[in-house]
Amino acid sequence: MMNGFGLFGGWMAGLTFGIISSIVMIPIMALFLWLTTKLFKPKDQTFISALIVSAILGAVNLFSSFFSYIPFIGWLFSILSFFVMIALGIFLIKWRYHVEWGKAILIWLVWALLTLFVFGIFAAILAVLIAVLGIGAGMMNGMFGGMLGMMS
């Protein structure tokens, strides 16, 4: 049995989360790309160029995420989208920064690794905080939950 929202509600929740996360992530990704271009010194090292590349990739990613909700083929589209996003990212870096293919691939690779590293650390800290808060809440419930139950 489906919840009250059904498939449409899940799709709308995913869409809302996707839009909000894209708005938050585009400037963060642009900052990481901008820092990466400082290492490789292409002609154009402006934050605006990094923001343009990140915004295009963010918009394409948001658009492609709509198709992941299609039953039976959504998973296939998600896998295909992953490889398209890699190719598009490399192409946009080559186009926007006027670099050769090898340098564009290298910039994309360092950008991706920097992003994975930073967000990996953030996710680990978040996981520890959630675990600590969850354990603390469980301990409080164990210590005081039984006492409160006996008092009623």
Coordinates of all heavy atoms in Angstrom, one line a residue, residues 9 17 19 123 129 144:
G9 N 3.7 12.2 -5.1 CA 4.2 12.9 -3.9 C 5.7 12.7 -3.7 O 6.5 13.6 -3.4
F17 N 13.6 18.8 -3.2 CA 14.9 18.6 -2.7 C 16.0 18.8 -3.8 O 17.0 19.4 -3.5 CB 15.1 17.1 -2.1 CG 16.5 16.9 -1.6 CD1 16.8 17.4 -0.4 CD2 17.4 16.1 -2.3 CE1 18.1 17.2 0.1 CE2 18.6 15.9 -1.8 CZ 19.0 16.4 -0.6
I19 N 15.8 20.9 -6.4 CA 16.0 22.3 -6.7 C 16.7 23.0 -5.5 O 17.6 23.8 -5.8 CB 14.6 22.9 -6.8 CG1 13.9 22.4 -8.2 CG2 14.6 24.4 -6.8 CD1 12.5 22.8 -8.3
A123 N 30.5 14.6 5.2 CA 29.6 13.5 5.4 C 30.0 12.7 6.7 O 29.1 12.2 7.4 CB 29.5 12.6 4.2
L129 N 28.0 13.0 14.1 CA 27.1 13.8 14.9 C 25.7 13.2 15.0 O 25.1 13.1 16.1 CB 26.9 15.2 14.2 CG 28.0 16.2 14.4 CD1 27.8 17.5 13.6 CD2 28.2 16.5 15.9
F144 N 15.5 7.5 31.3 CA 14.4 8.3 31.9 C 13.0 7.8 31.3 O 12.0 8.0 31.9 CB 14.5 9.8 31.6 CG 15.7 10.3 32.2 CD1 16.8 10.8 31.5 CD2 15.8 10.4 33.6 CE1 17.9 11.3 32.1 CE2 16.9 10.9 34.2 CZ 18.0 11.4 33.5

